[in-house]
């Protein structure tokens, strides 16, 4: 391995338990999104588009689909002989083995990977966030500030601030205070969970953290407060674009809807920084003689004979004659049979809504309907 | 599957020069919005397990090399075997109607001499079909033939398709053109590798002939059997056939035959977003590729990747290739619009079912 300037460690082991049936069989980063993508595509594409060519992907929960999807990393131009994508699952040593017990612990257990690549900087990323970012800009800020750690931040609505790690900075963007999920936030500048560390400092800090009995081995809870207390140079990198952590069914649904409209909040059509994916090759979407489609994203292989409004119709999904799909997300291979009516619903991969079944409700106060992968919803089961 | 050597003669040019084929060989004609014609030959090869494929290139190979690259999208980027780019004779089979020019094959003896495969499957890249070549190989083994040609009963007159005279499944002669009920050649055959090399010696003096023409006096000696393919197959020899084959894929039954579960037609991967159907768009009986953006109306048509149909524009009974923009109020009817064209606002490109309007490729 030659020396690298910056390697990325992509945390992709999370279960995403609040996504319910969508993560029953697959890790959250492998959940389908946006018609043809999986959530991890966004972070991997950002790496590729930012020229970060060495990416360690830390996996743990339900990894089969994620691992096969990552393959050699070629889909994201990350199949380089000296670097590229490396899959990093928990492993055993002479003294035993352990599951990843926190974000920092996952990286600690892979210090060997960092040392093998010998970078100057380590970029820590989450595999479950949707955004487009040029990490080189963040790295340039990190160098300019001669920082030990740079945290990507963005302003969030005040009422949501207590969900995040909240940062107070001085006029030079140096972090003066960091509070994980404060009850009474005194700033609305939230950490996005994207960090650039000086590599040597990261390794030393993680080694110390590993033997700290009181630590939960979490970047937000433990590592950042520790470095701040030690008087290290912590700076922010402010981001003002679209960024979502789709933690729940309702945020998954909402974020999907953000892709729609004539001026979408998040535009997948951006040739300058394409979101790449390891998509299967399917023929172009077919719209039948009576198909009606209004404000939808439609993936290849989809077949639409009925009506689809303000929805995402993913690869190989189908909508039968007289069927209506509104404000919904059909994941790859989902099928809404003839005469069925689906409103505000998420249909899992290869799930089926049988003929004339009515699913979901326009009532915004009711939960978004969710059907798991491969589930069939028959008449009377809705 | 036993080891088989694949050869694709991708250097066929149609006898009917049109603006579509002037800039590219038939093999790299865009098909159904996101494919190129060669994808079918390549996919048929790799889907039956072949991992060594030589492609005999046309002189105007830029678009073809751009498309196939290292062969990665067909799993042909092998450490051993994989995709071999082979030379063709100066102008290949340009406009002669020949498919398997002996000279082209003889040029590439070295490729055929290497390796340990017993059999070769040789095909052109000018037909669209999706079949399991293991059926062809099984028939070849069962009959003990020297060569087994892939054929189909002709459903109508076609002067460009080769036909075979056949007695009890054995070829007795070859001719240009077929009529209804004739045995039409799908320009694909399986042959013993060593016999192929021998034949190149036999016919070295007449290397300007097509293999099956050269064989004409020898059909009594060389056992050439037919294997009839029952599924959908379309020859792409002229612009009308090209148009018809694209439109065939608006029929869900034909679609299901050409794109069956588990036997994908592979093509070069692109990072296109899904197609976007904006509010107020109207699309009926059409195929829409990734990154297309539709605000206007599209009927009975095939849209390539990244095509934009603006508000008030209409496209009907047409093929619009990658990167075109149909501006506000423009109208495209019975047309084939090649890549990267902008059809200006409130203008018309109109052909008729009998005389398609062809708009040639524009600069990117």
């Amino acid at each position: 391995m030659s020396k690298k300037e910056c390697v990325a460690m992509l945390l992709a082991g999370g279960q995403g338990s609040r996504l319910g049936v969508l993560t029953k069989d697959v890790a959250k980063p492998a959940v389908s999104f946006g018609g043809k993508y999986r959530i991890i595509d966004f972070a991997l594409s950002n790496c590729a588009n930012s020229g970060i060519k060495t990416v360690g992907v830390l996996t743990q929960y339900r990894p089969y689909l994620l691992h096969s999807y990552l393959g050699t990393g070629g889909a994201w131009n990350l199949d380089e002989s000296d670097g590229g994508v490396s899959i990093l699952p928990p492993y055993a040593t002479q003294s035993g083995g352990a599951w990843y017990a926190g974000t920092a612990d996952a990286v600690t257990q892979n210090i060997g990977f960092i040392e093998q690549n010998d970078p100057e900087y380590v970029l820590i990323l989450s595999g479950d966030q949707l955004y487009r970012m040029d990490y080189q800009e963040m790295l340039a800020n990190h160098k300019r500030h001669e920082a030990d750690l740079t945290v990507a931040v963005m302003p969030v609505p005040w009422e949501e601030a207590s969900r995040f790690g909240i940062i107070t900075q001085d006029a030079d963007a140096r972090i003066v205070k960091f509070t994980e999920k404060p009850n009474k936030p005194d700033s609305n500048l939230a950490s996005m969970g994207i960090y650039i560390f000086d590599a040597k400092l990261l390794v030393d800090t993680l080694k110390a953290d590993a033997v700290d009995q009181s630590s939960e081995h979490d970047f937000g809870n433990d590592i950042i407060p520790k470095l701040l207390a030690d008087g290290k140079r912590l700076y922010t990198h402010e981001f003002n674009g679209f960024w979502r952590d789709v933690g729940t069914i309702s945020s998954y649904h909402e974020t999907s809807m953000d892709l729609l409209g004539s001026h979408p909040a998040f535009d997948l059509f951006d040739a300058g920084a394409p979101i790449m994916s390891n998509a299967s090759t399917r023929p172009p979407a077919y719209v039948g003689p009576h198909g009606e489609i209004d404000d939808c994203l439609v993936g290849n292989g989809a077949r639409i004979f009925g009506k689809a409004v303000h929805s995402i119709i993913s690869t190989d999904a189908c909508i039968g004659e007289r069927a209506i799909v509104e404000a919904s997300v059909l994941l790859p291979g989902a099928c809404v049979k003839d005469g069925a009516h689906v409103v505000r619903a998420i249909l899992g991969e290869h799930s089926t809504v049988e003929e004339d079944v009515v699913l979901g409700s326009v009532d915004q106060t009711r939960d978004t309907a969710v059907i798991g992968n491969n589930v069939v919803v028959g008449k009377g089961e809705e | 599957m036993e080891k088989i050597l694949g050869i694709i003669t991708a250097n066929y040019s149609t006898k009917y020069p049109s603006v579509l084929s002037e800039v590219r060989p038939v093999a790299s004609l865009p098909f159904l919005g996101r494919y190129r014609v060669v994808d079918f030959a390549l996919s048929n090869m790799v889907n039956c397990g072949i991992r060594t494929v030589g492609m005999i290139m046309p002189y105007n190979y830029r678009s073809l090399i751009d498309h196939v690259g290292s062969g990665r999208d067909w799993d042909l980027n092998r450490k051993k075997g994989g995709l071999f780019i082979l030379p063709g004779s100066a102008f290949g089979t340009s406009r002669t109607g020949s498919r398997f020019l002996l000279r082209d094959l003889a040029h590439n003896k070295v490729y055929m001499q290497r390796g340990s495969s017993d059999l070769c499957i040789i095909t052109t890249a000018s037909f669209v079909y999706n079949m399991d070549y293991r059926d062809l190989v099984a028939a070849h083994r069962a009959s003990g033939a020297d060569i087994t040609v892939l054929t189909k009963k002709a459903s109508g007159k076609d002067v460009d398709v080769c036909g075979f005279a056949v007695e009890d499944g054995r070829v007795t002669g070859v001719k240009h053109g077929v009529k209804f009920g004739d045995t039409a050649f799908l320009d694909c055959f399986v042959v013993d590798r060593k016999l192929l090399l021998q034949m190149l010696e036999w016919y070295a003096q007449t290397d300007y002939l097509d293999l099956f023409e050269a064989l004409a006096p020898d059909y009594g000696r060389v056992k050439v059997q037919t294997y009839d393919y029952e599924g959908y197959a379309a020859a792409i020899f002229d612009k009308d056939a090209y148009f018809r084959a694209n439109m065939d894929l608006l029929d869900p039954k034909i679609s299901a035959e050409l794109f069956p579960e588990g036997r994908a037609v592979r093509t070069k991967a692109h990072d296109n977003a899904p197609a976007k159907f904006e509010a107020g768009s109207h699309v009926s009986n059409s195929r829409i590729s990734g990154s297309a953006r539709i605000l206007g109306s599209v009927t009975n048509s095939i849209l390539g990747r990244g095509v934009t149909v603006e508000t008030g524009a209409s496209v009907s009974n047409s093929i619009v290739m990658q990167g075109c923009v149909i501006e506000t109020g423009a109208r495209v009817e019975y047309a084939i619009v090649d890549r990267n064209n902008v059809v200006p606002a409130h203008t018309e490109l109109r052909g008729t079912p009998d005389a398609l309007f062809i708009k040639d490729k524009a600069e990117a």
Side-chain angles (χ1 to χ4, degrees):
Chain A
M1 294 280 167
S2 61
K3 186 169 172 63
K4 316 277 188 332
E5 185 186 33
C6 183
V7 304
M9 299 294 270
L10 179 49
L11 301 164
Q15 177 183 356
S17 55
R18 288 174 301 154
L19 281 176
V21 294
L22 295 181
T23 50
K24 180 167 161 277
D25 304 315
V26 299
K28 184 172 158 190
V31 170
S32 298
F33 182 81
K36 69 171 283 193
Y37 307 98
R38 296 192 184 275
I39 292 173
I40 198 169
D41 285 335
F42 293 79
L44 287 173
S45 298
N46 285 337
C47 285
N49 290 331
S50 304
I52 307 251
K53 294 185 171 130
T54 304
V55 183
V57 182
L58 292 83
T59 65
Q60 175 160 285
Y61 175 81
R62 298 263 182 208
Y64 299 143
L65 177 63
L66 186 54
H67 286 182
S68 68
Y69 186 70
L70 289 167
T72 60
W76 305 270
N77 277 325
L78 290 170
D79 53 346
E80 303 220 347
S81 51
D82 184 16
V85 162
S86 296
I87 295 175
L88 305 174
Y91 60 93
T93 65
Q94 285 178 331
S95 52
W99 296 111
Y100 296 151
T103 52
D105 179 59
V107 179
T108 303
Q109 292 201 39
N110 289 287
I111 281 174
F113 176 79
I114 295 172
E115 288 174 339
Q116 185 185 24
N117 284 288
D118 190 20
E120 288 172 57
Y121 308 101
V122 178
L123 170 65
I124 308 281
L125 301 170
S126 286
D128 54 5
Q129 301 176 344
L130 303 170
Y131 64 109
R132 242 190 214 106
M133 187 193 278
D134 184 350
Y135 301 133
Q136 290 298 344
E137 289 177 10
M138 182 170 170
L139 185 58
N141 265 337
H142 182 81
K143 290 180 194 168
R144 189 166 56 83
H145 289 131
E146 295 176 349
D148 295 311
L149 164 63
T150 299
V151 181
V153 296
M154 67 180 297
V156 295
W158 279 95
E159 62 271 22
E160 286 182 30
S162 56
R163 284 177 46 214
F164 295 94
I166 291 298
I167 283 168
T168 309
Q169 62 180 357
D170 67 14
D172 298 324
R174 185 162 179 172
I175 299 173
V176 295
K177 188 178 169 194
F178 178 94
T179 325
E180 186 70 10
K181 301 192 175 74
N183 288 327
K184 286 193 183 131
D186 47 13
S187 155
N188 69 333
L189 209 53
S191 163
M192 299 161 68
I194 300 167
Y195 315 112
I196 291 178
F197 281 91
D198 172 83
K200 186 175 178 314
L201 175 79
L202 174 67
V203 169
D204 292 347
T205 309
L206 289 177
K207 282 179 175 167
D209 176 76
V211 293
D212 180 351
Q213 297 290 329
S214 65
S215 175
E216 291 173 28
H217 313 301
D218 183 86
F219 280 107
N221 265 327
D222 309 289
I223 304 297
I224 297 175
K226 173 79 167 57
L227 292 176
L228 202 55
D230 288 353
K232 297 292 180 193
R233 295 174 63 84
L234 273 58
Y235 282 82
T236 63
H237 170 72
E238 195 162 329
F239 179 76
N240 287 302
F242 181 94
W243 174 86
R244 292 286 187 282
D245 174 350
V246 285
T248 62
I249 292 291
S250 69
S251 73
Y252 179 94
H253 184 260
E254 211 171 281
T255 307
S256 297
M257 296 299 114
D258 283 338
L259 304 174
L260 299 170
S262 50
H263 299 286
F266 189 52
D267 194 354
L268 293 172
F269 286 63
D270 182 343
I275 306 301
M276 296 169 242
S277 71
N278 192 3
S280 52
T281 305
R282 299 293 297 143
Y286 175 69
V287 183
H290 310 113
E292 259 186 89
I293 307 175
D294 225 352
D295 189 20
C296 289
L297 281 166
V298 180
N300 283 321
R303 287 159 296 146
I304 302 174
F305 296 91
K307 183 173 177 179
V309 183
H310 198 62
S311 293
I312 292 175
I313 317 300
S314 305
T315 312
D316 283 339
C318 65
I319 299 174
E321 300 276 357
R322 295 173 287 103
I324 300 173
V325 172
E326 295 173 78
S328 294
V329 182
L330 272 55
L331 296 188
C335 187
V336 177
K337 294 265 179 85
D338 294 355
H341 191 163
V342 173
V343 188
R344 278 184 68 240
I346 300 167
L347 307 187
E349 295 188 34
H350 302 284
S351 63
T352 305
V353 176
E354 292 285 14
E355 288 179 19
D356 302 316
V357 168
V358 178
L359 183 80
S361 161
V362 285
D363 183 353
Q364 297 278 344
T365 62
R366 296 185 48 186
D367 286 344
T368 309
V370 194
I371 305 300
N373 296 345
N374 305 306
V375 171
V376 178
V377 183
K379 198 74 184 152
E381 297 172 51
E382 58 265 36
Chain B
M1 177 98 173
E2 60 195 303
K3 274 178 72 183
I4 294 177
L5 193 69
I7 297 175
I8 298 175
T9 56
N11 53 344
Y12 182 86
S13 301
T14 157
K15 281 193 286 184
Y16 308 97
S18 89
V19 287
L20 294 177
S21 53
E22 245 154 46
V23 293
R24 51 171 91 87
V26 171
S28 58
L29 260 177
F31 187 81
L32 199 66
R34 71 166 306 181
Y35 300 99
R36 290 182 187 259
V37 174
V38 72
D39 290 338
F40 295 88
L42 279 168
S43 300
N44 286 338
M45 292 256 176
V46 300
N47 285 342
C48 76
I50 296 176
R51 291 292 181 273
T52 304
V53 177
M55 273 180 79
I56 299 180
M57 301 306 274
Y59 69 95
N60 51 352
Y61 54 76
R62 189 205 57 80
S63 58
L64 202 48
I65 296 262
D66 179 353
H67 185 67
V68 298
S70 64
R72 178 157 92 182
D73 291 306
W74 297 267
D75 284 328
L76 289 174
N77 55 337
R78 301 290 92 205
K79 188 169 187 183
K80 188 161 183 282
L83 182 68
F84 289 79
I85 301 295
L86 304 176
S89 49
F91 285 88
T93 54
S94 170
R95 283 157 210 161
T96 65
S98 177
R99 275 72 155 154
F100 305 107
L101 194 66
L102 284 165
R103 190 177 293 168
D104 286 337
L105 298 175
H107 264 308
N108 295 294
K109 266 192 223 165
V110 174
Y111 169 73
M112 298 172 206
Q113 279 158 349
R114 282 200 303 214
S116 56
S117 314
D118 291 337
L119 298 178
C120 271
I121 292 182
I122 308 186
T123 179
T124 60
S126 42
F127 273 81
V128 167
Y129 61 91
N130 182 347
M131 85 166 277
D132 189 340
Y133 281 154
R134 284 174 294 194
D135 297 341
L136 175 68
V137 171
H140 181 73
R141 289 293 187 207
S143 72
D146 296 314
I147 297 176
T148 302
V149 289
L150 188 67
T151 54
K152 187 171 176 60
K153 287 281 165 269
S155 57
K157 188 172 178 249
D158 193 324
V159 296
D160 296 303
V161 171
C162 272
F164 286 119
V166 178
E167 277 172 30
D168 291 336
R170 180 162 176 176
V171 170
T172 57
V174 63
K175 58 180 182 171
H176 282 293
V178 292
K179 58 182 191 308
F180 178 83
D182 282 356
T183 301
F185 187 21
L186 297 186
D187 289 357
C188 171
F189 63 100
V190 56
V191 59
D192 182 277
R193 184 173 63 95
K194 295 199 173 102
L195 173 66
L196 176 66
L197 285 163
Q198 280 172 17
M199 289 194 297
L200 294 176
E201 300 298 328
W202 300 346
Y203 304 126
Q205 300 306 312
T206 53
D207 68 354
Y208 50 85
L209 289 178
D210 183 275
L211 171 65
F212 289 90
E213 289 170 346
L215 271 166
D218 296 324
Y219 282 120
R221 184 158 72 92
V222 180
K223 188 180 178 193
V224 181
Q225 288 287 132
T226 61
Y227 175 79
D228 265 342
Y229 175 60
E230 304 289 341
Y232 174 83
I236 310 295
F237 288 125
D238 62 49
K239 64 182 192 306
D240 293 312
Y242 171 77
F243 185 78
R244 268 199 314 277
N246 272 279
M247 293 301 157
D248 279 346
L249 276 308
L250 295 179
D251 178 338
K253 265 167 64 186
I254 294 176
S255 274
E257 269 189 54
L258 197 62
F259 300 104
E261 291 276 335
R263 216 166 55 232
V265 179
R266 309 182 193 199
T267 187
K268 180 179 178 179
H270 291 274
D271 292 303
N272 293 110
K276 184 82 185 290
F277 293 64
E278 303 285 1
S281 65
H282 178 83
V283 179
S284 162
N285 193 40
S286 294
R287 279 202 176 265
I288 312 294
S289 304
S291 281
R293 190 186 281 269
I294 302 166
L295 297 96
S297 152
V298 181
T299 313
N300 305 331
S301 294
I302 314 284
L303 264 53
R305 295 183 294 110
V307 168
T308 302
V309 179
E310 293 185 353
T311 310
S314 87
V315 175
S316 65
N317 301 293
S318 294
I319 298 168
V320 181
M321 293 187 200
Q322 180 187 335
C324 289
V325 179
I326 316 300
E327 292 188 342
T328 299
R331 196 167 156 192
V332 175
E333 208 174 293
Y334 288 105
I336 302 175
V337 187
D338 208 332
R339 292 171 61 153
N340 302 324
N341 273 290
V342 176
V343 180
H346 306 292
T347 60
E348 291 188 344
L349 291 184
R350 288 178 72 179
T352 66
D354 299 324
L356 299 168
F357 187 98
I358 314 282
K359 180 80 178 84
D360 62 340
K361 186 176 168 183
E363 295 296 319

